[in-house]
Amino acid sequence: MSTRSEGVFEIFRPAIDFRISVLLCAALALACGGRPVAPVSVKSSAPVNPPVATVETEAPEAEVALDSRAAPEPEVPIDSAIVTELLRLAENERRTGDIEAEYGYLAEVIELDSSHSRAHARLAEITGPAPAIPFATPDALVSRALRHPYDPKALVAAAGGLVARGETDRAIAFLERAVWLADLDPAASLSAIRQLYALSDEWREHRIVPVHLYVDELIRMQPDWRFQMRNLWLSASAMLDSALETRFVPIAILPFEIGDAPNDLDSIHEAFLAEARPSAEGLYAVMTGRRVPDDDAVYKKGVAEFIGRSLAVRIAPGAVRSRVLAHEILHLYGAIHVLEGVDTLMNPTGDALALDAPNIRIVRALRGREFGSGGIEQNVIPYIDLGVTIAAYRAALSVNLSLRETEIDEAMRSSESSSDQVAYRVHKATYLDAHLADAAWLVASLMLEDGQRVEAIRLFDLASQLYGRLTPRGRESADRARALRESMGAASPPAIE
Ligand SMILES: [Zn+2]
């Protein structure tokens, strides 16, 4: 598997063709000390990654892969016997100080498992940043990048050299790797993205969403945690690729201290939002290593702002894919939970990795949304087709919502029910999805924007019921409905809508 051609190796190709593997560090050649070392070339066929567990409710863990091409894999990878042996050999060489030999073994690990975070972390340490070079010929640039394959700037410079030599595919591989390492050098990564758009038809079809990652102290205890985070987000992009065609790029990976905060994700998420006021463009995510406690209570594994820009997810030690993460990202694009029993990523429990058709329709309608400051008026409405989006929600909600609405109506109308019973039935009809109220609010807003005021009033009323009439958002929804009704009454008779 390893061709020892003098010190050169092929680079891996993370990215968009997720069927190939993620990172690839392909071959590495250390070339230090004159003796060309490792071989390697990568391209394991491991699909980029899929995830884990269940989402906001119960606890069972599962895994994921939205893309049906990708076979579900464990979220926390288990080293094969050969990888375990290679790591042992590498460790022996490290102890004796033979870095070239160690490098060679680790490169073979990457060849077998392109998302092996630990091997990447050690290789990055060994190869370090690239030195400046006086005569930047294309060959020199390529050779330098091969010796320092974790230096985004060197990778981008080398890609320029490769383009000059007419090796476009190889240049794309170098650039994709630079994007995978974006947090190390966001400017180089931005340059890589621009060049990818110019060089690759596949990239031109993709949207780029920058991610600001905040990682808690438990995850950071593992030396390879940064590679774990890069691999997690690359795998999430791959999992959702057929629906979103979006590459989520962590451009900042920052520490976040959770300390003694209660072990529930809503509290962690709120503490994060209070501390890290999102300002820069992009998605904000908290990743915590806190496990779901072993008791009977229901703990969430992930939370997200519906159509917002932040989420929080529990990540198992060493996991390089996460079903929960994919699920929460979908909420940012307006996806809603489905009724129990449907196998889809939007079922909060279960392990399905595929996405149901109604949710695919919704997220594709919202795929062009932005992640800047402000609400849906700034980030969503200007970038979507209102008619298409409303139609997508109507289809998705028709069954889901009408069933629950019926239940709520019945509960409210029933003269024998005590207010406790009504509250219980309303709760039962809505407990499955805290986002259902948000969805009703969103669609009401879209309809208002679209001039469908009668329908908007109805949905604001419904949102009020779903939130709970006495909650702040429930009151706000009811107020919106009332104000609209009054403004319509004050104006001329309602047009037929
Ligand atoms: Zn959910």
Side-chain angles (χ1 to χ4, degrees), residues 92-118:
N92 283 346
E93 300 298 350
R94 189 187 69 77
R95 288 213 192 96
T96 60
D98 188 342
I99 294 189
E100 287 181 34
E102 182 192 1
Y103 175 96
Y105 289 126
L106 293 173
E108 288 190 52
V109 169
I110 295 300
E111 191 170 1
L112 294 167
D113 177 359
S114 64
S115 59
H116 200 288
S117 304
R118 190 144 55 93

PDB file of all heavy atoms in Angstrom, residues 92-118:
ATOM      1  N   ASN A  92       6.173   2.714  19.862  1.00  0.00           N
ATOM      2  CA  ASN A  92       7.525   2.210  20.139  1.00  0.00           C
ATOM      3  C   ASN A  92       8.576   3.117  19.512  1.00  0.00           C
ATOM      4  O   ASN A  92       9.595   3.437  20.122  1.00  0.00           O
ATOM      5  CB  ASN A  92       7.705   0.791  19.563  1.00  0.00           C
ATOM      6  CG  ASN A  92       7.016  -0.237  20.444  1.00  0.00           C
ATOM      7  OD1 ASN A  92       6.649   0.065  21.580  1.00  0.00           O
ATOM      8  ND2 ASN A  92       6.845  -1.444  19.916  1.00  0.00           N
ATOM      9  N   GLU A  93       8.323   3.521  18.278  1.00  0.00           N
ATOM     10  CA  GLU A  93       9.298   4.368  17.588  1.00  0.00           C
ATOM     11  C   GLU A  93       9.392   5.735  18.257  1.00  0.00           C
ATOM     12  O   GLU A  93      10.450   6.341  18.330  1.00  0.00           O
ATOM     13  CB  GLU A  93       8.910   4.539  16.108  1.00  0.00           C
ATOM     14  CG  GLU A  93       8.837   3.240  15.316  1.00  0.00           C
ATOM     15  CD  GLU A  93      10.176   2.503  15.257  1.00  0.00           C
ATOM     16  OE1 GLU A  93      11.204   3.075  15.656  1.00  0.00           O
ATOM     17  OE2 GLU A  93      10.175   1.327  14.812  1.00  0.00           O
ATOM     18  N   ARG A  94       8.243   6.197  18.731  1.00  0.00           N
ATOM     19  CA  ARG A  94       8.266   7.495  19.409  1.00  0.00           C
ATOM     20  C   ARG A  94       9.164   7.413  20.638  1.00  0.00           C
ATOM     21  O   ARG A  94       9.971   8.304  20.903  1.00  0.00           O
ATOM     22  CB  ARG A  94       6.858   7.906  19.823  1.00  0.00           C
ATOM     23  CG  ARG A  94       6.760   9.340  20.347  1.00  0.00           C
ATOM     24  CD  ARG A  94       5.381   9.659  20.904  1.00  0.00           C
ATOM     25  NE  ARG A  94       5.094   8.946  22.141  1.00  0.00           N
ATOM     26  CZ  ARG A  94       5.590   9.277  23.334  1.00  0.00           C
ATOM     27  NH1 ARG A  94       6.359  10.324  23.464  1.00  0.00           N
ATOM     28  NH2 ARG A  94       5.302   8.560  24.402  1.00  0.00           N
ATOM     29  N   ARG A  95       9.049   6.298  21.357  1.00  0.00           N
ATOM     30  CA  ARG A  95       9.866   6.150  22.572  1.00  0.00           C
ATOM     31  C   ARG A  95      11.346   6.103  22.254  1.00  0.00           C
ATOM     32  O   ARG A  95      12.161   6.605  22.995  1.00  0.00           O
ATOM     33  CB  ARG A  95       9.478   4.857  23.296  1.00  0.00           C
ATOM     34  CG  ARG A  95       8.132   4.956  23.966  1.00  0.00           C
ATOM     35  CD  ARG A  95       8.094   4.128  25.253  1.00  0.00           C
ATOM     36  NE  ARG A  95       6.714   4.029  25.702  1.00  0.00           N
ATOM     37  CZ  ARG A  95       5.943   2.984  25.421  1.00  0.00           C
ATOM     38  NH1 ARG A  95       6.422   1.947  24.766  1.00  0.00           N
ATOM     39  NH2 ARG A  95       4.692   2.984  25.830  1.00  0.00           N
ATOM     40  N   THR A  96      11.672   5.486  21.132  1.00  0.00           N
ATOM     41  CA  THR A  96      13.094   5.389  20.809  1.00  0.00           C
ATOM     42  C   THR A  96      13.581   6.620  20.059  1.00  0.00           C
ATOM     43  O   THR A  96      14.749   6.741  19.742  1.00  0.00           O
ATOM     44  CB  THR A  96      13.379   4.146  19.937  1.00  0.00           C
ATOM     45  OG1 THR A  96      12.626   4.290  18.730  1.00  0.00           O
ATOM     46  CG2 THR A  96      12.948   2.877  20.641  1.00  0.00           C
ATOM     47  N   GLY A  97      12.664   7.503  19.742  1.00  0.00           N
ATOM     48  CA  GLY A  97      13.087   8.755  19.110  1.00  0.00           C
ATOM     49  C   GLY A  97      13.211   8.678  17.596  1.00  0.00           C
ATOM     50  O   GLY A  97      13.728   9.598  16.969  1.00  0.00           O
ATOM     51  N   ASP A  98      12.730   7.602  17.000  1.00  0.00           N
ATOM     52  CA  ASP A  98      12.804   7.515  15.531  1.00  0.00           C
ATOM     53  C   ASP A  98      11.527   8.115  14.928  1.00  0.00           C
ATOM     54  O   ASP A  98      10.554   7.412  14.634  1.00  0.00           O
ATOM     55  CB  ASP A  98      12.972   6.050  15.107  1.00  0.00           C
ATOM     56  CG  ASP A  98      13.257   5.943  13.606  1.00  0.00           C
ATOM     57  OD1 ASP A  98      12.985   6.917  12.866  1.00  0.00           O
ATOM     58  OD2 ASP A  98      13.748   4.880  13.187  1.00  0.00           O
ATOM     59  N   ILE A  99      11.574   9.385  14.752  1.00  0.00           N
ATOM     60  CA  ILE A  99      10.374  10.085  14.305  1.00  0.00           C
ATOM     61  C   ILE A  99       9.963   9.717  12.885  1.00  0.00           C
ATOM     62  O   ILE A  99       8.788   9.626  12.568  1.00  0.00           O
ATOM     63  CB  ILE A  99      10.585  11.604  14.434  1.00  0.00           C
ATOM     64  CG1 ILE A  99      10.719  11.913  15.917  1.00  0.00           C
ATOM     65  CG2 ILE A  99       9.430  12.365  13.834  1.00  0.00           C
ATOM     66  CD1 ILE A  99      10.723  13.358  16.237  1.00  0.00           C
ATOM     67  N   GLU A 100      10.940   9.497  12.056  1.00  0.00           N
ATOM     68  CA  GLU A 100      10.591   9.118  10.683  1.00  0.00           C
ATOM     69  C   GLU A 100       9.820   7.808  10.659  1.00  0.00           C
ATOM     70  O   GLU A 100       8.843   7.658   9.933  1.00  0.00           O
ATOM     71  CB  GLU A 100      11.842   8.963   9.836  1.00  0.00           C
ATOM     72  CG  GLU A 100      12.479  10.280   9.490  1.00  0.00           C
ATOM     73  CD  GLU A 100      13.712  10.064   8.633  1.00  0.00           C
ATOM     74  OE1 GLU A 100      13.702   9.113   7.826  1.00  0.00           O
ATOM     75  OE2 GLU A 100      14.661  10.827   8.788  1.00  0.00           O
ATOM     76  N   ALA A 101      10.275   6.873  11.428  1.00  0.00           N
ATOM     77  CA  ALA A 101       9.580   5.581  11.461  1.00  0.00           C
ATOM     78  C   ALA A 101       8.190   5.734  12.065  1.00  0.00           C
ATOM     79  O   ALA A 101       7.209   5.168  11.577  1.00  0.00           O
ATOM     80  CB  ALA A 101      10.401   4.572  12.262  1.00  0.00           C
ATOM     81  N   GLU A 102       8.120   6.525  13.099  1.00  0.00           N
ATOM     82  CA  GLU A 102       6.816   6.763  13.727  1.00  0.00           C
ATOM     83  C   GLU A 102       5.857   7.384  12.716  1.00  0.00           C
ATOM     84  O   GLU A 102       4.691   6.986  12.592  1.00  0.00           O
ATOM     85  CB  GLU A 102       6.979   7.709  14.929  1.00  0.00           C
ATOM     86  CG  GLU A 102       5.660   7.956  15.665  1.00  0.00           C
ATOM     87  CD  GLU A 102       5.740   9.099  16.664  1.00  0.00           C
ATOM     88  OE1 GLU A 102       6.810   9.727  16.779  1.00  0.00           O
ATOM     89  OE2 GLU A 102       4.706   9.373  17.312  1.00  0.00           O
ATOM     90  N   TYR A 103       6.381   8.352  12.009  1.00  0.00           N
ATOM     91  CA  TYR A 103       5.593   9.023  10.987  1.00  0.00           C
ATOM     92  C   TYR A 103       5.052   8.029   9.965  1.00  0.00           C
ATOM     93  O   TYR A 103       3.893   8.072   9.554  1.00  0.00           O
ATOM     94  CB  TYR A 103       6.496  10.065  10.320  1.00  0.00           C
ATOM     95  CG  TYR A 103       5.891  10.781   9.159  1.00  0.00           C
ATOM     96  CD1 TYR A 103       5.287  12.019   9.328  1.00  0.00           C
ATOM     97  CD2 TYR A 103       5.936  10.238   7.886  1.00  0.00           C
ATOM     98  CE1 TYR A 103       4.747  12.691   8.252  1.00  0.00           C
ATOM     99  CE2 TYR A 103       5.392  10.897   6.811  1.00  0.00           C
ATOM    100  CZ  TYR A 103       4.796  12.119   6.995  1.00  0.00           C
ATOM    101  OH  TYR A 103       4.263  12.777   5.930  1.00  0.00           O
ATOM    102  N   GLY A 104       5.919   7.122   9.553  1.00  0.00           N
ATOM    103  CA  GLY A 104       5.521   6.123   8.563  1.00  0.00           C
ATOM    104  C   GLY A 104       4.358   5.266   9.036  1.00  0.00           C
ATOM    105  O   GLY A 104       3.391   5.044   8.305  1.00  0.00           O
ATOM    106  N   TYR A 105       4.422   4.824  10.274  1.00  0.00           N
ATOM    107  CA  TYR A 105       3.327   3.994  10.807  1.00  0.00           C
ATOM    108  C   TYR A 105       2.027   4.797  10.917  1.00  0.00           C
ATOM    109  O   TYR A 105       0.945   4.313  10.598  1.00  0.00           O
ATOM    110  CB  TYR A 105       3.703   3.424  12.178  1.00  0.00           C
ATOM    111  CG  TYR A 105       4.763   2.347  12.104  1.00  0.00           C
ATOM    112  CD1 TYR A 105       5.939   2.434  12.851  1.00  0.00           C
ATOM    113  CD2 TYR A 105       4.587   1.223  11.286  1.00  0.00           C
ATOM    114  CE1 TYR A 105       6.908   1.436  12.788  1.00  0.00           C
ATOM    115  CE2 TYR A 105       5.553   0.230  11.212  1.00  0.00           C
ATOM    116  CZ  TYR A 105       6.712   0.338  11.960  1.00  0.00           C
ATOM    117  OH  TYR A 105       7.652  -0.636  11.896  1.00  0.00           O
ATOM    118  N   LEU A 106       2.166   6.012  11.374  1.00  0.00           N
ATOM    119  CA  LEU A 106       0.952   6.832  11.527  1.00  0.00           C
ATOM    120  C   LEU A 106       0.315   7.141  10.172  1.00  0.00           C
ATOM    121  O   LEU A 106      -0.908   7.189  10.030  1.00  0.00           O
ATOM    122  CB  LEU A 106       1.279   8.129  12.273  1.00  0.00           C
ATOM    123  CG  LEU A 106       1.686   7.948  13.738  1.00  0.00           C
ATOM    124  CD1 LEU A 106       2.148   9.275  14.330  1.00  0.00           C
ATOM    125  CD2 LEU A 106       0.519   7.385  14.552  1.00  0.00           C
ATOM    126  N   ALA A 107       1.181   7.351   9.188  1.00  0.00           N
ATOM    127  CA  ALA A 107       0.649   7.612   7.844  1.00  0.00           C
ATOM    128  C   ALA A 107      -0.149   6.404   7.363  1.00  0.00           C
ATOM    129  O   ALA A 107      -1.175   6.535   6.695  1.00  0.00           O
ATOM    130  CB  ALA A 107       1.792   7.918   6.885  1.00  0.00           C
ATOM    131  N   GLU A 108       0.323   5.222   7.725  1.00  0.00           N
ATOM    132  CA  GLU A 108      -0.422   4.024   7.324  1.00  0.00           C
ATOM    133  C   GLU A 108      -1.764   3.942   8.054  1.00  0.00           C
ATOM    134  O   GLU A 108      -2.758   3.467   7.514  1.00  0.00           O
ATOM    135  CB  GLU A 108       0.407   2.765   7.598  1.00  0.00           C
ATOM    136  CG  GLU A 108       1.571   2.624   6.620  1.00  0.00           C
ATOM    137  CD  GLU A 108       2.240   1.261   6.725  1.00  0.00           C
ATOM    138  OE1 GLU A 108       1.516   0.247   6.655  1.00  0.00           O
ATOM    139  OE2 GLU A 108       3.469   1.224   6.900  1.00  0.00           O
ATOM    140  N   VAL A 109      -1.768   4.407   9.279  1.00  0.00           N
ATOM    141  CA  VAL A 109      -3.041   4.437  10.014  1.00  0.00           C
ATOM    142  C   VAL A 109      -4.034   5.323   9.274  1.00  0.00           C
ATOM    143  O   VAL A 109      -5.201   4.957   9.070  1.00  0.00           O
ATOM    144  CB  VAL A 109      -2.847   4.969  11.458  1.00  0.00           C
ATOM    145  CG1 VAL A 109      -4.202   5.245  12.114  1.00  0.00           C
ATOM    146  CG2 VAL A 109      -2.041   3.970  12.286  1.00  0.00           C
ATOM    147  N   ILE A 110      -3.566   6.477   8.848  1.00  0.00           N
ATOM    148  CA  ILE A 110      -4.461   7.400   8.147  1.00  0.00           C
ATOM    149  C   ILE A 110      -4.933   6.810   6.825  1.00  0.00           C
ATOM    150  O   ILE A 110      -6.052   7.018   6.394  1.00  0.00           O
ATOM    151  CB  ILE A 110      -3.752   8.756   7.896  1.00  0.00           C
ATOM    152  CG1 ILE A 110      -3.448   9.432   9.233  1.00  0.00           C
ATOM    153  CG2 ILE A 110      -4.608   9.662   7.022  1.00  0.00           C
ATOM    154  CD1 ILE A 110      -4.667   9.728  10.067  1.00  0.00           C
ATOM    155  N   GLU A 111      -4.045   6.052   6.231  1.00  0.00           N
ATOM    156  CA  GLU A 111      -4.445   5.428   4.977  1.00  0.00           C
ATOM    157  C   GLU A 111      -5.601   4.460   5.210  1.00  0.00           C
ATOM    158  O   GLU A 111      -6.515   4.337   4.403  1.00  0.00           O
ATOM    159  CB  GLU A 111      -3.245   4.691   4.381  1.00  0.00           C
ATOM    160  CG  GLU A 111      -3.494   4.235   2.970  1.00  0.00           C
ATOM    161  CD  GLU A 111      -2.224   3.719   2.315  1.00  0.00           C
ATOM    162  OE1 GLU A 111      -1.171   3.716   2.977  1.00  0.00           O
ATOM    163  OE2 GLU A 111      -2.310   3.324   1.147  1.00  0.00           O
ATOM    164  N   LEU A 112      -5.577   3.797   6.336  1.00  0.00           N
ATOM    165  CA  LEU A 112      -6.633   2.832   6.653  1.00  0.00           C
ATOM    166  C   LEU A 112      -7.869   3.494   7.242  1.00  0.00           C
ATOM    167  O   LEU A 112      -8.985   3.022   7.091  1.00  0.00           O
ATOM    168  CB  LEU A 112      -6.108   1.800   7.666  1.00  0.00           C
ATOM    169  CG  LEU A 112      -4.993   0.882   7.147  1.00  0.00           C
ATOM    170  CD1 LEU A 112      -4.339   0.140   8.304  1.00  0.00           C
ATOM    171  CD2 LEU A 112      -5.570  -0.108   6.131  1.00  0.00           C
ATOM    172  N   ASP A 113      -7.655   4.552   7.956  1.00  0.00           N
ATOM    173  CA  ASP A 113      -8.767   5.225   8.646  1.00  0.00           C
ATOM    174  C   ASP A 113      -8.526   6.734   8.575  1.00  0.00           C
ATOM    175  O   ASP A 113      -7.856   7.314   9.408  1.00  0.00           O
ATOM    176  CB  ASP A 113      -8.812   4.762  10.109  1.00  0.00           C
ATOM    177  CG  ASP A 113      -9.902   5.476  10.905  1.00  0.00           C
ATOM    178  OD1 ASP A 113     -10.609   6.336  10.331  1.00  0.00           O
ATOM    179  OD2 ASP A 113     -10.037   5.182  12.108  1.00  0.00           O
ATOM    180  N   SER A 114      -9.098   7.313   7.531  1.00  0.00           N
ATOM    181  CA  SER A 114      -8.772   8.717   7.261  1.00  0.00           C
ATOM    182  C   SER A 114      -9.287   9.686   8.313  1.00  0.00           C
ATOM    183  O   SER A 114      -8.887  10.837   8.340  1.00  0.00           O
ATOM    184  CB  SER A 114      -9.328   9.104   5.896  1.00  0.00           C
ATOM    185  OG  SER A 114     -10.732   9.027   5.940  1.00  0.00           O
ATOM    186  N   SER A 115     -10.189   9.249   9.178  1.00  0.00           N
ATOM    187  CA  SER A 115     -10.648  10.187  10.203  1.00  0.00           C
ATOM    188  C   SER A 115     -10.115   9.795  11.581  1.00  0.00           C
ATOM    189  O   SER A 115     -10.748  10.048  12.592  1.00  0.00           O
ATOM    190  CB  SER A 115     -12.176  10.280  10.207  1.00  0.00           C
ATOM    191  OG  SER A 115     -12.752   9.018  10.440  1.00  0.00           O
ATOM    192  N   HIS A 116      -8.957   9.194  11.595  1.00  0.00           N
ATOM    193  CA  HIS A 116      -8.368   8.790  12.873  1.00  0.00           C
ATOM    194  C   HIS A 116      -7.765  10.025  13.552  1.00  0.00           C
ATOM    195  O   HIS A 116      -6.643  10.445  13.257  1.00  0.00           O
ATOM    196  CB  HIS A 116      -7.299   7.716  12.647  1.00  0.00           C
ATOM    197  CG  HIS A 116      -6.991   6.933  13.885  1.00  0.00           C
ATOM    198  ND1 HIS A 116      -6.289   7.463  14.948  1.00  0.00           N
ATOM    199  CD2 HIS A 116      -7.331   5.673  14.255  1.00  0.00           C
ATOM    200  CE1 HIS A 116      -6.198   6.552  15.904  1.00  0.00           C
ATOM    201  NE2 HIS A 116      -6.831   5.457  15.509  1.00  0.00           N
ATOM    202  N   SER A 117      -8.520  10.583  14.475  1.00  0.00           N
ATOM    203  CA  SER A 117      -8.122  11.868  15.074  1.00  0.00           C
ATOM    204  C   SER A 117      -6.768  11.799  15.778  1.00  0.00           C
ATOM    205  O   SER A 117      -5.961  12.725  15.697  1.00  0.00           O
ATOM    206  CB  SER A 117      -9.193  12.330  16.063  1.00  0.00           C
ATOM    207  OG  SER A 117     -10.451  12.408  15.427  1.00  0.00           O
ATOM    208  N   ARG A 118      -6.538  10.701  16.476  1.00  0.00           N
ATOM    209  CA  ARG A 118      -5.301  10.621  17.261  1.00  0.00           C
ATOM    210  C   ARG A 118      -4.069  10.600  16.352  1.00  0.00           C
ATOM    211  O   ARG A 118      -3.074  11.270  16.613  1.00  0.00           O
ATOM    212  CB  ARG A 118      -5.335   9.356  18.139  1.00  0.00           C
ATOM    213  CG  ARG A 118      -4.256   9.268  19.160  1.00  0.00           C
ATOM    214  CD  ARG A 118      -4.780   8.619  20.434  1.00  0.00           C
ATOM    215  NE  ARG A 118      -5.382   7.317  20.183  1.00  0.00           N
ATOM    216  CZ  ARG A 118      -4.705   6.156  20.269  1.00  0.00           C
ATOM    217  NH1 ARG A 118      -3.436   6.148  20.593  1.00  0.00           N
ATOM    218  NH2 ARG A 118      -5.315   5.018  20.041  1.00  0.00           N
TER     219      ARG A 118
END
